[in-house]
Amino acid sequence: MHTVVVGTSGVTASDVLAVARGGARVELSGEAVAALAAAREIVDALAAKPEPVYGVSTGFGALATRHISPELRARLQRNIVRSHAAGMGPRVEREVVRALMFLRLKTVCSGHTGVRPEVARSMADLLNAGITPVVHEHGSLGCSGDLAPLSHCALTLMGEGDAEGPDGVVRPAGDLLAEHGIAPVELREKEGLALLNGTDGMLGMLLMALDDLDTLYKSADVTAALSLEALLGTDKVLAPELHAIRPHPGQAASAANMLAVLKGSELTGHHQDDAPRVQDAYSVRCAPQVAGAGRDTLAHARLVAERELASAVDNPVVLPDGRVESNGNFHGAPVAYVLDFLAVAAADLASIAERRTDRLLDKNRSHGLPPFLADDAGVDSGLMIAQYTQAALVAEMKRLAVPASADSIPSSAMQEDHVSMGWAAARKLRTAVDDLARVLAVELYAATRAVELREGLTPAPATRAVIDAVRAAGVQGPGPDRFLAPDLAAADGFVREGRLVAAAETVTGPLR
């Protein structure tokens, strides 16, 4: 099994995905263990002094003015975990929780948190045992980190609360730890606080969204090319020299992908046939501009994610010169903004895909295709309601595009009076990504059927490869009305699992 080694300088996006989605094992580097021990010595020295130090010998948040005596400090650290594990609602997905745990371990190993090496080892042991804390949908405001979600993870580390075992069954955390030979952690000064203060949940969901959207944007280029072909559109608008004079890199990449998919098609360029056109509609002609803008948004979001992956997010932090300083690095604004930005871009990509689907189904605008791509229009309804479903998904995505990060709600007796709402931005983006895959699946379903209905004209080799692959995946072609939901579900899986892109790439080579 693949092993990810955690050092002091952060981790990569592929490391996070390997642990969260691939179940990779986790190990601590010798460098990380040494940094943990050195930082802990600083915390222990400060804990022995009479002067109060936030997070070490004081209360938290609005209660930071109280100095805590040494005999109460272990109880203080336990209590912050118990009281902050206050999430509600449905369980968060296993991959999100594993990303959350791993990213907190990443920051702990930076040597800036003051956590003991044995605590970090127990965090790695929990991941390696496949034990997943029960984390709930609601509880994070995205400031002071993802407090409630991280608290539920820390609670499991203490042997309290509930967790899911590697068999998928939720049981008391203490029982699961015992079965895997993991001793519950007895927290000491600062450690409870250090396990809770991070942007790890929203960052983990950002990284997984970027991974999914990379596939979906390539998929959208393929479905847009299929629709252009089915509508007898022109591929001249995809010429590299046209996109070079507006040098947005995402636009150029999208146009190049579409051009590669359409190479060798007999269906493109029929503008001056029986129903002459001067130009294709915007949803066809401007596909690279819209998808390209989304690609450039992805590039910006990746830059933010890379910076956050290299960060040590905690409060207070242990500095190399021995100071322990309070800060505001736990504020989720940088991550929250790009999470919202991605939801906007995804909604627009879905919107233009739905417009192409609608055009394929409308006999007045489809340039010779049967109404709703039906076998016997009137007796058959064809894909009429598939487009309704697609439109409903797009409508939901537009609602999800409303930014969460523009909101703020004060908490902690006005101590935490401006929050990022980054967790909420991440949660709605996950829904938007799922919806986008479904929207593209409907366009794929309609466009492949439409291309097959263009009898007498040969589609591009890449198009033919896509059609053959999607039919082999159980998505049926033209014919009388049938139970449509299974076909759409199969098309959805074909898109989100990357099989659509892989099918096109058997002819085009790697898409950009």
Side-chain angles (χ1 to χ4, degrees):
M1 182 181 290
H2 178 57
T3 298
V4 173
V5 179
V6 185
T8 59
S9 57
V11 296
T12 66
S14 60
D15 289 336
V16 177
L17 295 171
V19 174
R21 290 181 159 171
R25 291 186 59 79
V26 177
E27 291 181 4
L28 310 186
S29 72
E31 175 194 33
V33 173
L36 285 159
R40 186 65 207 180
E41 287 181 6
I42 295 171
V43 171
D44 286 341
L46 289 172
K49 292 183 177 181
E51 297 85 8
V53 178
Y54 178 70
V56 176
S57 53
T58 71
F60 309 113
L63 302 176
T65 54
R66 179 178 171 182
H67 181 254
I68 307 299
S69 59
E71 67 273 10
L72 294 176
R73 290 176 189 170
R75 177 179 163 192
L76 169 71
Q77 300 300 322
R78 287 195 302 272
N79 284 352
I80 190 175
V81 172
R82 290 167 175 165
S83 65
H84 285 43
M88 296 181 72
R91 285 179 57 197
V92 171
E93 303 86 354
R94 183 177 185 271
E95 65 177 13
V96 172
V97 180
R98 285 185 61 83
L100 178 72
M101 296 162 65
F102 177 67
L103 287 167
R104 183 77 319 228
L105 177 61
K106 176 268 298 182
T107 283
V108 164
C109 287
S110 70
H112 290 295
T113 67
V115 168
R116 289 168 294 150
E118 50 264 45
V119 176
R121 289 193 187 97
S122 293
M123 295 170 75
D125 289 343
L126 207 65
L127 284 163
N128 293 337
I131 298 172
T132 307
V134 171
V135 174
H136 299 280
E137 180 85 18
H138 306 293
S140 175
L141 297 178
C143 201
S144 287
D146 292 316
L147 286 172
L150 283 163
S151 297
H152 282 276
C153 294
L155 196 68
T156 296
L157 204 62
M158 291 165 48
E160 300 181 16
D162 292 326
E164 180 186 297
D167 58 359
V169 177
V170 174
R171 299 170 53 200
D175 294 348
L176 286 168
L177 264 60
E179 287 178 11
H180 289 85
I182 303 172
V185 170
E186 293 286 343
L187 298 174
R188 287 169 48 180
E189 290 94 344
K190 195 184 179 300
E191 290 179 336
L193 187 62
L195 295 179
L196 314 185
N197 253 316
T199 55
D200 309 295
M202 62 185 93
L203 175 59
M205 287 185 275
L206 171 60
L207 293 167
M208 287 184 278
L210 288 170
D211 185 48
D212 294 335
L213 288 169
D214 181 67
T215 297
L216 293 178
Y217 269 85
K218 292 176 186 175
S219 299
D221 292 339
V222 177
T223 60
L226 283 161
S227 291
L228 183 153
E229 194 174 29
L231 291 166
L232 306 179
T234 179
D235 59 0
K236 289 182 178 180
V237 296
L238 305 174
E241 57 269 26
L242 293 176
H243 298 279
I245 62 176
R246 194 189 190 195
H248 293 287
Q251 177 179 323
S254 181
N257 284 347
M258 290 181 64
L259 201 59
V261 171
L262 292 169
K263 185 178 181 180
S265 174
E266 292 183 3
L267 280 78
T268 58
H270 291 268
H271 283 62
Q272 303 307 316
D273 289 356
D274 294 338
R277 284 168 277 163
V278 176
Q279 298 174 327
D280 288 318
Y282 283 10
S283 60
V284 177
R285 185 170 18 130
C286 302
Q289 285 77 7
V290 172
R295 285 171 170 272
D296 292 340
T297 302
L298 288 177
H300 172 61
R302 284 193 193 96
L303 177 61
V304 172
E306 287 167 4
R307 290 170 176 164
E308 198 73 1
L309 281 168
S311 301
V313 179
D314 192 15
N315 181 48
V317 291
V318 181
L319 296 174
D321 60 8
R323 286 179 295 148
V324 175
E325 297 286 0
S326 291
N327 66 89
N329 283 343
F330 50 73
H331 200 289
V335 182
Y337 292 167
V338 293
L339 287 163
D340 279 331
F341 198 179
L342 290 174
V344 171
D348 200 36
L349 186 63
S351 181
I352 197 170
E354 183 275 330
R355 288 293 79 204
R356 289 191 295 265
T357 304
D358 181 68
R359 184 166 290 272
L360 288 167
L361 271 55
D362 183 352
K363 69 180 182 65
N364 296 311
R365 295 179 292 141
S366 66
H367 309 288
L369 291 169
F372 302 105
L373 306 181
D375 187 63
D376 184 4
V379 174
D380 293 314
S381 295
L383 306 190
M384 180 190 295
I385 307 304
Q387 186 268 330
Y388 280 36
T389 299
Q390 191 186 42
L393 289 163
V394 171
E396 179 177 56
M397 290 183 69
K398 290 176 180 177
R399 294 191 296 272
L400 293 169
V402 176
S405 58
D407 190 17
S408 176
I409 188 163
S411 57
S412 192
M414 293 297 287
Q415 176 74 2
E416 298 169 12
D417 59 350
H418 183 82
V419 297
S420 78
M421 305 305 292
W423 175 272
R427 296 306 296 167
K428 68 184 182 67
L429 178 59
R430 283 183 70 83
T431 302
V433 169
D434 283 344
D435 285 351
L436 176 58
R438 296 180 183 110
V439 168
L440 296 178
V442 176
E443 183 181 19
L444 172 67
Y445 190 54
T448 52
R449 178 183 283 209
V451 168
E452 288 183 300
L453 289 171
R454 294 291 190 188
E455 296 179 357
L457 294 172
T458 303
T463 299
R464 185 73 262 166
V466 167
I467 292 173
D468 290 345
V470 78
R471 296 293 173 254
V475 182
Q476 299 183 55
D481 281 357
R482 55 182 171 268
F483 181 23
L484 211 53
D487 272 3
L488 297 178
D492 179 31
F494 190 77
V495 170
R496 72 176 63 241
E497 293 165 13
R499 287 181 282 156
L500 169 59
V501 173
E505 289 180 336
T506 60
V507 175
T508 64
L511 294 174
R512 295 165 59 182

